[in-house]
């Protein structure tokens, strides 16, 4: 039998990190032999019972040059891109309050489903709100209104539901769950509209007080045994919402970072926390990134640029090219998907297959344009798509029937799992391309040397194809409206 060897470098195996958007042919090569190596296929597909189900084992055979008539997924492990940080979901007030209404067996089942790497989909990141957001049962802060000295600061509100859930999630994840924290609005007295709702701006006189507040929150959480991995400056800083919101222009965010938040984090020994700017949609991301990151004093504090997927409110598609442009312009910074969900909840639509396909489309293209971490919105919501104190009810991957103590899994959960279960922190994205436009793909190599190739088909066609790696190929097929992960 002819032996074929793929050369993978030590960098692919996680020994070093390179800029997220820069492919590099590797040196210091280590041989990996494909001969006899098998591919395990996991599938989720509409109109079937497949839900991350092992559906086959493939073998490689010689295929030096595919023909145009042979659909292929081409994978090149020698071409590497960004290092992967992880995937997770938000532990909001709404998720925590809903979780508390479930019986313990359902709670345990949910935690295993999200955080167990064998029984579940192995989440490795989390996000939570700094005091209230729309997915809270009411508006609240951690201080008495008007307390600019922060002497009344208390986490008593979070200790009822949110902190217990976060601690259980950390335990379920094996004792480690990097947490991103985000504010939706400063307290009302710090803003020019004297309200946490409806936009408004942070008053210049309170910029230092607000930076102190954020630092106080991080330290208070860590004193409770909840390590904070990173923080965003402001959730959706260009959105005037009926819920908690606050407007920062690009220049205002830049100046707040370099003169207040960044120095305050450093002064308090928190400079290692990953500070993420923007935290809004892909539409304005390039303008925001250039304004902040072209200023050296601001850029030195910024680890990454966060983004959401709601630019589709205009009726168009997700704007992945804007991510690519930011990635190319600032390869030393990190792109992080910080929030996304399907809006306008309806229980009649929880089995709609397009829910998962939206996730798959975003995740594949976000990763292919340099994203290093991907964090979904609410981990869990109730049968009404809440609780939400302003009626902004949305979908989550899992909903709770709180009347009957049951969990409802949408196919979004399974689609996310095709990435989070098989692509682990420290992995490197590797080259992957489809020869048919109906197939979307991305691929990563984990630190243990395993390779995970994700392929999604949103069409109604069954599409046979070859998984092709350097003259070797394994034949399989993509089912209609399916996502598959091939692990080798």
């Amino acid at each position: 039998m002819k032996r074929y060897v793929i050369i993978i470098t030590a960098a692919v195996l996680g020994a070093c990190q390179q800029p997220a958007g820069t492919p590099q042919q590797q040196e210091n090569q280590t041989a990996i032999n494909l001969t006899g190596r098998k591919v395990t296929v996991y599938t989720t597909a509409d109109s079937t019972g497949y839900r991350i189900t092992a559906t086959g084992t493939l073998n490689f055979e010689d295929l030096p040059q595919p023909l145009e008539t042979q659909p292929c997924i081409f994978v090149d492990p020698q071409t590497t891109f960004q290092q992967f940080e992880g995937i997770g979901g938000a532990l909001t007030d709404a998720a925590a309050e809903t979780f508390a209404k479930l019986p313990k067996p359902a709670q345990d089942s949910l935690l295993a489903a999200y955080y167990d790497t064998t029984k579940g989909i192995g989440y490795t990141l989390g996000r939570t709100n700094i005091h209230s957001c729309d997915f809270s049962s009411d508006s609240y802060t951690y201080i008495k209104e008007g307390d600019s000295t922060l002497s009344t600061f208390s986490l008593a509100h979070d200790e009822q539901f949110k902190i217990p859930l976060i601690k259980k999630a950390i335990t379920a994840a094996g004792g480690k769950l990097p947490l991103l924290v985000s504010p939706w609005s400063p307290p009302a007295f710090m803003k020019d509209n004297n309200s946490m709702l409806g936009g408004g701006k942070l008053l210049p006189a309170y910029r230092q007080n607000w930076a102190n507040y954020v630092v106080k929150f991080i330290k208070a959480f860590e004193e409770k045994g909840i390590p904070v991995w990173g923080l965003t400056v402001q959730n959706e800083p260009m959105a005037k919402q009926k819920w908690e919101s606050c407007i920062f222009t690009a220049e205002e965010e830049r100046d707040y970072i370099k003169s207040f938040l960044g120095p305050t984090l450093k002064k308090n020994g928190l400079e290692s926390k990953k500070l993420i700017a923007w935290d809004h949609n892909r539409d304005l991301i390039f303008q925001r990134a250039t304004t902040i990151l072209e200023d050296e004093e601001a850029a030195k504090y910024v680890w990454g640029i966060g983004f959401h997927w709601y630019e589709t409110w205009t009726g168009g598609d997700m704007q992945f090219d804007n991510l690519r442009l930011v990635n190319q312009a600032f390869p030393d910074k990190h792109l992080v998907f910080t929030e996304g969900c399907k809006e306008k909840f309806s229980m009649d639509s929880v089995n709609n297959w397009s829910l998962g396909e939206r996730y798959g489309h975003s995740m594949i293209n976000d990763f292919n344009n340099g994203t290093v971490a991907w964090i979904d919105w609410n981990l869990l919501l109730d049968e009404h798509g809440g609780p939400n104190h302003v009626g902004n009810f949305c979908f989550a991957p899992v909903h709770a029937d709180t009347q009957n103590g049951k969990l409802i899994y949408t196919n979004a959960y399974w689609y996310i799992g095709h990435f989070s279960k098989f692509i682990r922190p420290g992995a490197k994205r590797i080259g992957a391309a489809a020869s048919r436009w109906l197939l979307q793909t991305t691929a990563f190599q984990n630190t243990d040397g395993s390779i995970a190739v994700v392929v999604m088909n949103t069409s109604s066609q069954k599409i046979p194809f070859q998984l092709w790696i350097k003259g070797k190929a394994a034949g399989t097929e993509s089912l209609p409206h399916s996502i598959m992960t091939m692990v080798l």
Side-chain angles (χ1 to χ4, degrees):
M1 178 182 293
K2 180 180 178 181
R3 294 174 64 84
Y4 195 90
V5 175
I6 296 180
I7 306 301
I8 309 296
T9 73
V12 177
L13 302 179
C16 65
Q17 185 172 358
Q18 63 190 68
T22 306
Q24 182 177 349
Q25 293 299 318
Q26 302 298 331
E27 300 175 357
N28 302 322
Q29 297 171 339
T30 301
I32 291 181
N33 194 349
L34 271 188
T35 302
R37 193 163 179 173
K38 297 184 182 297
V39 181
T40 304
V41 181
Y42 299 88
T43 305
T44 294
D46 193 14
S47 303
T48 72
Y50 297 154
R51 299 296 183 268
I52 315 185
T53 303
T55 53
T57 302
L58 314 179
N59 297 301
F60 283 103
E61 297 180 356
D62 292 338
L63 182 60
Q65 175 58 64
L67 302 175
E68 290 182 331
T69 54
Q70 294 176 291
C72 287
I73 298 294
F74 299 109
V75 174
D76 181 9
Q78 285 182 256
T79 303
T80 67
F81 299 87
Q82 75 271 24
Q83 182 168 300
F84 178 74
E85 294 283 341
I87 293 170
L91 299 128
T92 58
D93 289 309
E97 291 167 28
T98 302
F99 181 85
K101 294 177 182 178
L102 291 170
K104 189 175 186 304
Q107 291 181 344
D108 293 343
S109 177
L110 182 81
L111 292 170
Y114 271 124
Y115 299 106
D116 193 292
T117 55
T118 302
K119 300 177 183 177
I121 61 175
Y123 270 8
T124 53
L125 291 175
R127 183 186 184 217
T128 198
N129 46 297
I130 298 176
H131 63 231
S132 64
C133 66
D134 49 330
F135 279 93
S136 304
S137 291
D138 57 359
S139 288
Y140 68 92
T141 70
Y142 303 121
I143 59 173
K144 292 181 178 179
E145 183 65 9
D147 176 18
S148 60
T149 66
L150 314 183
S151 61
T152 58
F153 191 96
S154 169
L155 290 177
H157 181 281
D158 290 0
E159 288 172 346
Q160 185 176 7
F161 297 116
K162 193 161 63 176
I163 287 175
L165 173 59
I166 293 172
K167 286 186 173 181
K168 288 178 181 178
I170 292 171
T171 299
K176 180 182 179 182
L177 186 66
L179 186 68
L180 179 69
V181 299
S182 301
W184 266 245
S185 172
F189 73 91
M190 294 187 185
K191 296 174 64 184
D192 63 3
N193 67 342
N194 199 36
S195 173
M196 291 177 67
L197 315 182
K201 290 190 175 187
L202 175 64
L203 290 166
Y206 288 107
R207 287 179 295 189
Q208 186 59 60
N209 306 78
W210 180 227
N212 293 343
Y213 187 106
V214 170
V215 164
K216 201 169 187 69
F217 170 83
I218 293 172
K219 288 191 169 184
F221 247 50
E222 295 199 328
E223 287 171 3
K224 296 288 184 183
I226 302 174
V228 172
W229 172 76
L231 67 154
T232 66
V233 180
Q234 166 64 46
N235 179 76
E236 299 186 347
M238 287 305 295
K240 180 181 178 181
Q241 305 285 22
K242 63 182 179 180
W243 52 85
E244 288 82 349
S245 46
C246 184
I247 304 298
F248 282 81
T249 66
E251 292 79 10
E252 288 167 343
E253 184 175 9
R254 175 198 66 200
D255 295 345
Y256 174 63
I257 289 170
K258 73 178 181 179
S259 299
F260 297 94
L261 184 57
T264 303
L265 289 167
K266 184 176 181 179
K267 179 181 177 181
N268 285 273
L270 301 177
E271 63 268 30
S272 65
K273 305 304 179 187
K274 293 170 172 57
L275 181 59
I276 296 171
W278 187 223
D279 198 12
H280 204 167
N281 299 329
R282 301 183 189 95
D283 49 5
L284 302 182
I285 191 170
F286 183 67
Q287 183 261 347
R288 184 67 52 143
T290 55
T291 302
I292 294 173
L293 298 179
E294 287 174 358
D295 185 300
E296 292 183 3
E297 286 302 305
K300 71 181 183 182
Y301 295 113
V302 176
W303 182 82
I305 302 293
F307 64 94
H308 302 178
W309 72 16
Y310 307 113
E311 70 270 16
T312 55
W313 69 269
T314 62
D317 199 359
M318 298 176 184
Q319 296 180 270
F320 302 113
D321 282 349
N322 291 349
L323 299 182
R324 175 180 51 80
L325 191 56
V326 171
N327 195 19
Q328 291 172 340
F330 307 102
D332 59 330
K333 301 301 181 182
H334 304 80
L335 287 169
V336 179
F337 183 90
T338 50
E339 184 185 318
C341 72
K342 175 69 172 66
E343 300 134 300
K344 299 180 180 179
F345 177 79
S346 168
M347 183 59 80
D348 295 336
S349 299
V350 292
N351 295 317
N352 190 325
W353 202 257
S354 66
L355 291 174
E357 290 184 336
R358 182 173 182 178
Y359 277 83
H361 178 63
S362 178
M363 295 179 83
I364 288 171
N365 287 280
D366 288 339
F367 290 135
N368 285 347
N369 285 283
T371 298
V372 304
W374 210 96
I375 306 175
D376 184 37
W377 191 208
N378 296 281
L379 201 75
L380 174 71
L381 293 174
D382 66 18
E383 58 268 59
H384 307 293
N388 186 294
H389 72 92
V390 290
N392 181 35
F393 301 120
C394 296
F395 288 86
V398 184
H399 286 268
D401 175 353
T402 59
Q403 299 302 310
N404 297 298
K406 296 181 179 179
L407 297 170
I408 302 163
Y409 289 83
T410 76
N411 74 316
Y413 167 83
W414 304 104
Y415 269 67
I416 296 170
H418 274 272
F419 302 85
S420 61
K421 187 176 180 72
F422 304 105
I423 304 167
R424 307 303 296 166
K428 285 285 188 73
R429 184 168 69 88
I430 59 177
S435 69
R436 292 293 186 273
W437 69 274
L438 290 175
L439 298 178
Q440 300 180 52
T441 187
T442 193
F444 286 79
Q445 181 157 33
N446 290 302
T447 57
D448 64 1
S450 65
I451 292 173
V453 183
V454 181
V455 178
M456 187 175 76
N457 175 8
T458 59
S459 79
S460 299
Q461 303 176 32
K462 181 185 291 184
I463 306 175
F465 69 90
Q466 299 285 332
L467 173 63
W468 189 96
I469 305 177
K470 299 291 187 181
K472 294 284 189 178
T476 185
E477 64 181 12
S478 175
L479 297 178
H481 293 286
S482 72
I483 188 167
M484 59 199 297
T485 304
M486 295 174 285
V487 180
L488 63 147

